[in-house]
Structures are given as structure tokens and as C-alpha cells.
Amino acid sequence: MDQSSKSVMIVGGGFAGVALAKKLNNQPGFEVTLVDSNNYNFFPPLLYQVATGFLEPSSISYPFRKFLRGKKNIRFRMGALKKVLPGEKKIVLSNGTLNYDILVLATGATTNYFGMEQVQQNAIPMKTLSDALAMRNTLLNRLEEASRTTDLNYKRKLVTFVVAGAGPTGVEISGMFAEMRATIIRKDYPDLIGKNLGEIYLVDGGDAVLKPMSPNAQQYSQKSLEALGVHVKLKTTVKDFINDTVYLSDGSTIEARNLIWAAGVAAKTFEGIPADCYGRGKRLIVNAYNKVEGLEDVYAIGDTCLQNTDAAFPNGHPQVAQVALQQGTNLAKNLLHPQQLKPFTYVDKGSMAIIGRNKAVADLTKPKMRFGGFFAWMIWLFIHVMSLLTLKNRLRTLTNWVIAYFSKDQSFRMIIRPQDREETV
């Protein structure tokens, strides 16, 4: 490395980390190392489509090393962050130690079970690509088990789904389950037709689904889900999940083997970072330029940071992709032009969610427009395809969607059990 160059360590290869790395690509004076515990980037908004067999994993993921080809000042290091040594300007990974001049934490968030041990142990999370593949295997195995058991009560439990959290992920996966029940499961599992087909519940503590969106979008989404046969239970939270029984805050219970957890996230914490650097949701408190308060040359972007300096978001920004992308881009500009620091201001471009075939909602802010139905569904498809990392990802995903749309079917319903004999690095 050129002695005059600054070593920038980016920990986390999600939306924020990749956005920052792309902007620092081939910039003189910067040697960048991108660190991630996986050797691939993936697109979280479409995890549930991998989990339900509508997309293959490679449609929404891409190897970091292939992505970084030709980027001469960026290197990749696979490893999990274990400890930060701010005084020594070092980070300790699961497989070694690295020095930095500038450290950027873009480690995202992890599933938050709110201290419920049984839920954490037995529910199905939806946060990583590994989670999605595990969920696909679990659900397919339970459908197979349901098709052969003669115990009717147990059969119903196996094909009953409770989705906790009525944000975009919860709404989208509930709608997907409902459509699969009406088409694919009926065709592939004739033993489960009728009363044995189970129920789908969407549970949330708020008073509406898709709480951040407009009332019109909320009402349209709830009515559409209910028309698909989803039972929407609002102002209700999951309190426990024991012995195939989901216990709810209103005192009721649901007999089910499947609790899909999409109810909350929390940022990751790391040894070596003082406790007073963390705020609500374990997010690192940063100033207007995403510098972690109390630490030198340490920054945080994306879901892992809490920024209260943006007048429009005094309680911090939502943990969504657009915030991460914009923070990564803004930090890159500030690192490149330290004499012209620009405070971060989030530009909200809107929200959207897909409910089912030909059904979606979209609240756009620039221009300010609201859509529901087929047109919103088309907007959702276009934006999600264009948001994928590479042209190959976009073409593969679009092809799979077109086939699934016209056939009302999908072909990635394989139970694959990979076994890695080597210990994770």
C-alpha cells in the first residue's frame, strides 16, 4: 500500500457497505478493504421469495470477489468481526487482525426476539440467505410430513402458519403463503385439500398493517390479504411459542408448527466499543456525518447507526435500504472531500409492498403519488429488479418471475441439506 494512502476498513457488505465501496473505487489516496462474514452480497427484500421457492439463491446474491474484479484499490476479506480496538486502530476478526486508518461499521441488524427464549429457539427467522434456505427446507419437510400423517390435528398444525410482524416482509410472505395454498399446494399435495389445508395468521402489535405507509395502502393491503384467506390480528403480539402453540397478548392461542418471525431487528454490538456509544435498538450513535460519537476515525452507516441530527427524523432514520444506500454515498463524498463536509439528510423516495399476484401498494414521494393494484405491482417488480446488484441477477430474477406468473407455479421446491465438514472461519 502507498504510504500516503489511507486504509479504509468497511465491515459489512450490505447496501451501505457496497454503496461506500463503489464510490471509493479507484479513488487515489484510499486503499479499501471490504470485510464480511459471507463471501457474497445478497438482496434482503427478496429473501422470502427464496424461502418460498420462487427464486433460486443466485438470483439475489453475488460473490464479492467477482464484484470487485477490476477495482484496483479494493480488497475483500472474509471473516466475522469479533472485537474493535479503537486505541490501536485495529479490528479483530474470526481469522486474524487488520489495521485501519478509517473504520466504517456497516454491519446491519440481526433478528430481535425481545428476550423470548422459546420464540428464538423455535421460530423461523427471515434475516439472512441461510435463514431463507433453512426456511425453505423446513416448510417443505413439514408439507411432506403433513401429507403422510394420519393425525388430523397434527396435520393442521403442520400446515398452519403464523407470521409475526405486519411490515413489508410480513405482508409479502403472508400473501405468498396464501397464493401457494390456493395453487401449488393444492396441485402438489392433494392429501391437504379442504379442512386439512391449515390457516394463515398475520399478527402485529400496531393498529394497521404496513404502519409507515398511507391509510389507503394499509386498508387496501389488509382487505387484499383477508380476501386471500389470511387472518389479520392487530393490536396483538406474540408472547411465547411452546409445544406447537403460539401464545398471544390477547390471551388467545394458535395451534401451529410454523411461526415466521418478521417482528423486529436489533443492531449488533462488538467488544471494544464503549457501552455509551450505543443507543436505542443497540444502534451506534453517530453525528451528522455518521461519525460514531466518542470515537476517533470510526463511522457507522445503515441499520447499525442511530442518527438524530436529521430534522425530519429526530428519533433516527428507518432501517430500510434507501437510508443505507444514501448514507454510504454521503460518507464517501465526505471522505473524498474532508474540507467540504456535508451533513446527511435522508431523501425519502417512498415505500411499497407486494401482496400477491397483480396486487401491491406503492406510496411515492417524488412525485407524490399513491398506487394500489396491478400498476403498483408493476412498479414493485421494476424497482426490485433494477435494485439487484448485477445485470445477470436482474435477468435471472425477471425470467423466474415471468415463468412463475404465467404458470402460477415455481420450480425451486427442492429440499437440499448442505453439509460443510469444515468449521466456519
Side-chain angles (χ1 to χ4, degrees):
M1 184 180 83
D2 187 340
Q3 294 300 315
S4 63
S5 295
K6 289 186 176 181
S7 172
V8 180
M9 203 68 53
I10 304 172
V11 183
F15 289 117
V18 168
L20 174 59
K22 287 168 70 174
K23 292 296 181 181
L24 295 179
N25 175 37
N26 294 332
Q27 294 289 344
F30 291 93
E31 292 293 332
V32 180
T33 302
L34 180 63
V35 179
D36 199 281
S37 57
N38 297 310
N39 72 335
Y40 57 86
N41 166 275
F42 67 96
F43 189 67
L46 293 180
L47 279 175
Y48 77 97
Q49 296 218 1
V50 174
T52 52
F54 276 82
L55 290 176
E56 55 188 324
S58 58
S59 294
I60 68 165
S61 58
Y62 200 76
F64 282 121
R65 292 192 179 276
K66 189 171 182 179
F67 169 68
L68 295 177
R69 287 178 186 174
K71 297 175 174 58
K72 298 180 180 179
N73 69 326
I74 305 179
R75 297 292 181 267
F76 173 70
R77 175 70 173 265
M78 181 176 168
L81 178 62
K82 296 297 183 182
K83 187 176 183 179
V84 180
L85 303 172
E88 302 176 41
K89 288 199 169 184
K90 291 181 179 179
I91 58 172
V92 179
L93 305 179
S94 55
N95 50 19
T97 302
L98 296 175
N99 298 310
Y100 67 83
D101 294 313
I102 297 171
L103 174 62
V104 182
L105 297 172
T107 47
T110 188
T111 305
N112 186 0
Y113 296 99
F114 305 102
M116 294 181 284
E117 294 183 5
Q118 291 297 320
V119 172
Q120 182 172 353
Q121 183 176 342
N122 299 310
I124 302 173
M126 275 291 298
K127 195 62 186 171
T128 68
L129 192 55
S130 296
D131 289 340
L133 291 174
M135 177 174 164
R136 187 179 75 180
N137 284 348
T138 298
L139 298 184
L140 290 174
N141 272 312
R142 288 176 181 172
L143 287 174
E144 292 295 331
E145 188 176 3
S147 70
R148 63 178 183 266
T149 184
T150 57
D151 185 330
L152 293 183
N153 287 329
Y154 186 54
K155 187 190 292 283
R156 292 191 190 95
K157 288 182 182 181
L158 286 166
V159 291
T160 293
F161 300 90
V162 180
V163 180
T169 299
V171 167
E172 290 170 357
I173 202 164
S174 298
M176 183 71 79
F177 283 155
E179 293 205 331
M180 289 177 65
R181 180 176 64 176
T183 55
I184 294 167
I185 294 177
R186 286 185 179 277
K187 290 186 288 186
D188 286 5
Y189 299 90
D191 295 334
L192 304 180
I193 294 176
K195 293 182 179 180
N196 298 329
L197 206 53
E199 303 292 343
I200 301 168
Y201 296 87
L202 178 61
V203 180
D204 193 273
D207 57 4
V209 302
L210 300 173
K211 188 63 177 178
M213 298 190 70
S214 66
N216 287 342
Q218 295 169 357
Q219 294 166 12
Y220 178 85
S221 299
Q222 182 170 343
K223 289 180 180 179
S224 297
L225 287 171
E226 290 172 342
L228 289 170
V230 177
H231 304 284
V232 179
K233 294 178 71 69
L234 300 173
K235 299 181 181 179
T236 307
T237 58
V238 173
K239 303 304 291 183
D240 216 336
F241 183 35
I242 304 173
N243 297 329
D244 299 340
T245 301
V246 179
Y247 293 84
L248 303 178
S249 60
D250 63 359
S252 63
T253 60
I254 302 172
E255 299 294 313
R257 284 280 283 148
N258 310 289
L259 173 60
I260 315 299
W261 195 255
V265 296
K268 302 175 183 178
T269 59
F270 300 101
E271 183 182 350
I273 296 181
D276 56 6
C277 290
Y278 295 99
R280 178 172 47 84
K282 300 180 182 179
R283 298 160 76 177
L284 286 165
I285 302 170
V286 299
N287 65 13
Y289 312 103
N290 283 92
K291 181 177 176 295
V292 177
E293 296 284 7
L295 297 179
E296 289 297 324
D297 298 316
V298 179
Y299 298 82
I301 53 178
D303 289 355
T304 197
C305 79
L306 180 63
Q307 190 175 58
N308 300 315
T309 56
D310 191 339
F313 299 89
N315 297 317
H317 300 102
Q319 290 168 290
V320 296
Q322 275 301 317
V323 172
L325 290 168
Q326 292 178 33
Q327 284 185 337
T329 300
N330 189 73
L331 179 57
K333 292 177 180 177
N334 286 338
L335 293 178
L336 292 169
H337 307 287
Q339 306 305 320
Q340 305 171 19
L341 294 179
K342 179 182 178 182
F344 178 72
T345 303
Y346 175 47
V347 179
D348 187 359
K349 298 181 179 180
S351 304
M352 60 182 62
I354 193 170
I355 305 161
R357 181 183 174 87
N358 298 334
K359 292 184 177 66
V361 287
D363 290 345
L364 307 182
T365 56
K366 291 187 178 182
K368 190 171 184 179
M369 303 176 74
R370 295 170 182 167
F371 302 101
F374 179 77
F375 188 55
W377 182 76
M378 291 295 293
I379 294 174
W380 185 96
L381 293 180
F382 175 78
I383 289 178
H384 280 71
V385 166
M386 295 308 296
S387 296
L388 292 169
L389 191 60
T390 68
L391 177 62
K392 188 175 182 180
N393 289 136
R394 296 167 192 161
L395 292 176
R396 180 183 285 121
T397 297
L398 185 60
T399 299
N400 290 334
W401 278 347
V402 169
I403 293 172
Y405 180 81
F406 286 105
S407 66
K408 295 184 180 180
D409 206 342
Q410 34 87 332
S411 58
F412 303 114
R413 296 193 300 279
M414 289 80 72
I415 300 172
I416 301 173
R417 305 180 184 89
Q419 296 196 5
D420 189 351
R421 294 186 178 182
E422 295 181 3
E423 293 184 3
T424 303
V425 293

